[in-house]
Structures are given as C-alpha cells and as structure tokens.
Amino acid sequence: QVQLVESGGGLVQTGGSLRLSCVASGSIVSIGRMGWYRQAPGNQRELVGVTTEGGSTNVASSVQGRFTIDRDNAKNTVYLQMNSLKPEDTAVYYCNADIISRTWRQTSLNYWGQGTQVTVSS
C-alpha cells in the first residue's frame, strides 16, 4: 500500500519557523505532482503549494515570501519550509501526491497523508 506520512508540525510563536516533511512509501513506480494543503478550524481545505516531478514550484499568494516548497525525488519526500509564521497559519497541514504504484500501474492515483498540526501562538 502506498502511504504518505507527514512530520514536523508543532507549536511555535508568531514569527517562528517550521519545516514540514512528507515521505511517500510503498510499491511506488513514480510520483508526479506533490503538494501541501491546510485546513483551519471552520474553514475549507486550501492549497498551500505544489511542486512537479521536475521541481517547478508554486505557492499560494497568502504565503508567498514566507513559505517555500521543495522535493527530493531520491527520498520520495516533499518539504514545506514555513518562515515568519502568523496565527492565521494555524491549521492541520496535509500532504498530497499523484502516484503510480506497482500494484495498479494503469494510471496514477491521488493520495493523502493524515495531516500534521501547526499551531502559531500570538
């Protein structure tokens, strides 16, 4: 079974930094787009940033200049570097990826991690 596992969340003060990691494991043939989403209490899940297999990146305007997304294909890992954190960044952050697995090679499937909590205190 393909699995995505996030790590790196926690409690930080306003202005602090966190680095989130998401590792894909299992019977993986290839990984396409990878991204980070977040969901704050009372809000819908929103896209934070995406990265292609080739390494191009894009982040939401709300976090531009503060967050960066990157990936290491050799490690099947995507990262989210979060700087200058604000209370409004408080949310559960989810990893997402399009993956072709060995058990079902016909097409890529979309996978979600279980999320990691980020809390920014004022």
PDB file of all heavy atoms in Angstrom, residues 24-38:
ATOM      1  N   ALA A  24       6.726   9.587   1.017  1.00  0.00           N
ATOM      2  CA  ALA A  24       5.908   8.576   0.364  1.00  0.00           C
ATOM      3  C   ALA A  24       6.626   7.233   0.414  1.00  0.00           C
ATOM      4  O   ALA A  24       7.825   7.155   0.162  1.00  0.00           O
ATOM      5  CB  ALA A  24       5.626   8.958  -1.084  1.00  0.00           C
ATOM      6  N   SER A  25       5.892   6.185   0.732  1.00  0.00           N
ATOM      7  CA  SER A  25       6.482   4.853   0.816  1.00  0.00           C
ATOM      8  C   SER A  25       5.519   3.824   0.253  1.00  0.00           C
ATOM      9  O   SER A  25       4.335   4.093   0.084  1.00  0.00           O
ATOM     10  CB  SER A  25       6.854   4.509   2.259  1.00  0.00           C
ATOM     11  OG  SER A  25       5.703   4.480   3.086  1.00  0.00           O
ATOM     12  N   GLY A  26       6.041   2.628  -0.019  1.00  0.00           N
ATOM     13  CA  GLY A  26       5.240   1.559  -0.568  1.00  0.00           C
ATOM     14  C   GLY A  26       5.713   1.147  -1.947  1.00  0.00           C
ATOM     15  O   GLY A  26       6.835   1.443  -2.346  1.00  0.00           O
ATOM     16  N   SER A  27       4.853   0.464  -2.681  1.00  0.00           N
ATOM     17  CA  SER A  27       5.193  -0.046  -4.008  1.00  0.00           C
ATOM     18  C   SER A  27       5.025   1.049  -5.059  1.00  0.00           C
ATOM     19  O   SER A  27       4.106   1.026  -5.878  1.00  0.00           O
ATOM     20  CB  SER A  27       4.332  -1.263  -4.340  1.00  0.00           C
ATOM     21  OG  SER A  27       2.945  -0.954  -4.222  1.00  0.00           O
ATOM     22  N   ILE A  28       5.949   1.989  -5.060  1.00  0.00           N
ATOM     23  CA  ILE A  28       5.874   3.177  -5.903  1.00  0.00           C
ATOM     24  C   ILE A  28       6.654   2.981  -7.200  1.00  0.00           C
ATOM     25  O   ILE A  28       7.810   2.568  -7.174  1.00  0.00           O
ATOM     26  CB  ILE A  28       6.409   4.409  -5.153  1.00  0.00           C
ATOM     27  CG1 ILE A  28       5.525   4.711  -3.942  1.00  0.00           C
ATOM     28  CG2 ILE A  28       6.482   5.609  -6.085  1.00  0.00           C
ATOM     29  CD1 ILE A  28       6.099   5.759  -3.018  1.00  0.00           C
ATOM     30  N   VAL A  29       6.012   3.291  -8.312  1.00  0.00           N
ATOM     31  CA  VAL A  29       6.676   3.318  -9.610  1.00  0.00           C
ATOM     32  C   VAL A  29       7.184   4.722  -9.907  1.00  0.00           C
ATOM     33  O   VAL A  29       8.341   4.915 -10.273  1.00  0.00           O
ATOM     34  CB  VAL A  29       5.752   2.835 -10.738  1.00  0.00           C
ATOM     35  CG1 VAL A  29       6.424   3.013 -12.100  1.00  0.00           C
ATOM     36  CG2 VAL A  29       5.374   1.375 -10.527  1.00  0.00           C
ATOM     37  N   SER A  30       6.316   5.702  -9.758  1.00  0.00           N
ATOM     38  CA  SER A  30       6.704   7.087  -9.977  1.00  0.00           C
ATOM     39  C   SER A  30       5.759   8.007  -9.230  1.00  0.00           C
ATOM     40  O   SER A  30       4.621   7.657  -8.947  1.00  0.00           O
ATOM     41  CB  SER A  30       6.724   7.437 -11.469  1.00  0.00           C
ATOM     42  OG  SER A  30       5.432   7.365 -12.018  1.00  0.00           O
ATOM     43  N   ILE A  31       6.250   9.208  -8.936  1.00  0.00           N
ATOM     44  CA  ILE A  31       5.465  10.222  -8.254  1.00  0.00           C
ATOM     45  C   ILE A  31       5.424  11.470  -9.129  1.00  0.00           C
ATOM     46  O   ILE A  31       6.468  11.965  -9.554  1.00  0.00           O
ATOM     47  CB  ILE A  31       6.053  10.577  -6.880  1.00  0.00           C
ATOM     48  CG1 ILE A  31       6.170   9.332  -6.006  1.00  0.00           C
ATOM     49  CG2 ILE A  31       5.208  11.644  -6.194  1.00  0.00           C
ATOM     50  CD1 ILE A  31       6.827   9.587  -4.670  1.00  0.00           C
ATOM     51  N   GLY A  32       4.233  11.958  -9.402  1.00  0.00           N
ATOM     52  CA  GLY A  32       4.079  13.166 -10.188  1.00  0.00           C
ATOM     53  C   GLY A  32       3.992  14.386  -9.302  1.00  0.00           C
ATOM     54  O   GLY A  32       4.885  14.664  -8.499  1.00  0.00           O
ATOM     55  N   ARG A  33       2.904  15.114  -9.434  1.00  0.00           N
ATOM     56  CA  ARG A  33       2.703  16.313  -8.631  1.00  0.00           C
ATOM     57  C   ARG A  33       2.626  15.973  -7.149  1.00  0.00           C
ATOM     58  O   ARG A  33       2.005  14.984  -6.757  1.00  0.00           O
ATOM     59  CB  ARG A  33       1.416  17.021  -9.062  1.00  0.00           C
ATOM     60  CG  ARG A  33       1.138  18.324  -8.333  1.00  0.00           C
ATOM     61  CD  ARG A  33      -0.300  18.778  -8.558  1.00  0.00           C
ATOM     62  NE  ARG A  33      -1.249  17.866  -7.949  1.00  0.00           N
ATOM     63  CZ  ARG A  33      -1.658  17.950  -6.684  1.00  0.00           C
ATOM     64  NH1 ARG A  33      -1.187  18.913  -5.891  1.00  0.00           N
ATOM     65  NH2 ARG A  33      -2.524  17.069  -6.214  1.00  0.00           N
ATOM     66  N   MET A  34       3.252  16.789  -6.322  1.00  0.00           N
ATOM     67  CA  MET A  34       3.131  16.694  -4.874  1.00  0.00           C
ATOM     68  C   MET A  34       2.758  18.074  -4.357  1.00  0.00           C
ATOM     69  O   MET A  34       3.151  19.089  -4.936  1.00  0.00           O
ATOM     70  CB  MET A  34       4.427  16.231  -4.212  1.00  0.00           C
ATOM     71  CG  MET A  34       4.961  14.902  -4.707  1.00  0.00           C
ATOM     72  SD  MET A  34       6.398  14.313  -3.755  1.00  0.00           S
ATOM     73  CE  MET A  34       5.567  13.633  -2.308  1.00  0.00           C
ATOM     74  N   GLY A  35       2.000  18.104  -3.283  1.00  0.00           N
ATOM     75  CA  GLY A  35       1.573  19.388  -2.767  1.00  0.00           C
ATOM     76  C   GLY A  35       1.250  19.359  -1.292  1.00  0.00           C
ATOM     77  O   GLY A  35       1.163  18.302  -0.664  1.00  0.00           O
ATOM     78  N   TRP A  36       1.099  20.562  -0.757  1.00  0.00           N
ATOM     79  CA  TRP A  36       0.687  20.753   0.626  1.00  0.00           C
ATOM     80  C   TRP A  36      -0.618  21.527   0.660  1.00  0.00           C
ATOM     81  O   TRP A  36      -0.780  22.529  -0.053  1.00  0.00           O
ATOM     82  CB  TRP A  36       1.746  21.519   1.420  1.00  0.00           C
ATOM     83  CG  TRP A  36       2.957  20.709   1.761  1.00  0.00           C
ATOM     84  CD1 TRP A  36       4.136  20.659   1.091  1.00  0.00           C
ATOM     85  CD2 TRP A  36       3.103  19.834   2.887  1.00  0.00           C
ATOM     86  NE1 TRP A  36       5.009  19.816   1.709  1.00  0.00           N
ATOM     87  CE2 TRP A  36       4.403  19.286   2.821  1.00  0.00           C
ATOM     88  CE3 TRP A  36       2.268  19.463   3.934  1.00  0.00           C
ATOM     89  CZ2 TRP A  36       4.879  18.386   3.769  1.00  0.00           C
ATOM     90  CZ3 TRP A  36       2.750  18.558   4.875  1.00  0.00           C
ATOM     91  CH2 TRP A  36       4.030  18.037   4.788  1.00  0.00           C
ATOM     92  N   TYR A  37      -1.534  21.064   1.488  1.00  0.00           N
ATOM     93  CA  TYR A  37      -2.802  21.725   1.750  1.00  0.00           C
ATOM     94  C   TYR A  37      -2.911  21.994   3.242  1.00  0.00           C
ATOM     95  O   TYR A  37      -2.187  21.406   4.044  1.00  0.00           O
ATOM     96  CB  TYR A  37      -3.982  20.858   1.301  1.00  0.00           C
ATOM     97  CG  TYR A  37      -4.083  20.638  -0.191  1.00  0.00           C
ATOM     98  CD1 TYR A  37      -3.188  19.804  -0.857  1.00  0.00           C
ATOM     99  CD2 TYR A  37      -5.091  21.243  -0.935  1.00  0.00           C
ATOM    100  CE1 TYR A  37      -3.290  19.589  -2.220  1.00  0.00           C
ATOM    101  CE2 TYR A  37      -5.202  21.031  -2.302  1.00  0.00           C
ATOM    102  CZ  TYR A  37      -4.300  20.207  -2.931  1.00  0.00           C
ATOM    103  OH  TYR A  37      -4.413  20.001  -4.287  1.00  0.00           O
ATOM    104  N   ARG A  38      -3.823  22.871   3.614  1.00  0.00           N
ATOM    105  CA  ARG A  38      -4.077  23.090   5.032  1.00  0.00           C
ATOM    106  C   ARG A  38      -5.552  23.346   5.265  1.00  0.00           C
ATOM    107  O   ARG A  38      -6.272  23.809   4.389  1.00  0.00           O
ATOM    108  CB  ARG A  38      -3.235  24.255   5.579  1.00  0.00           C
ATOM    109  CG  ARG A  38      -3.607  25.624   5.036  1.00  0.00           C
ATOM    110  CD  ARG A  38      -2.648  26.672   5.575  1.00  0.00           C
ATOM    111  NE  ARG A  38      -2.979  28.014   5.117  1.00  0.00           N
ATOM    112  CZ  ARG A  38      -2.243  29.088   5.364  1.00  0.00           C
ATOM    113  NH1 ARG A  38      -1.122  28.979   6.066  1.00  0.00           N
ATOM    114  NH2 ARG A  38      -2.624  30.272   4.904  1.00  0.00           N
TER     115      ARG A  38
END
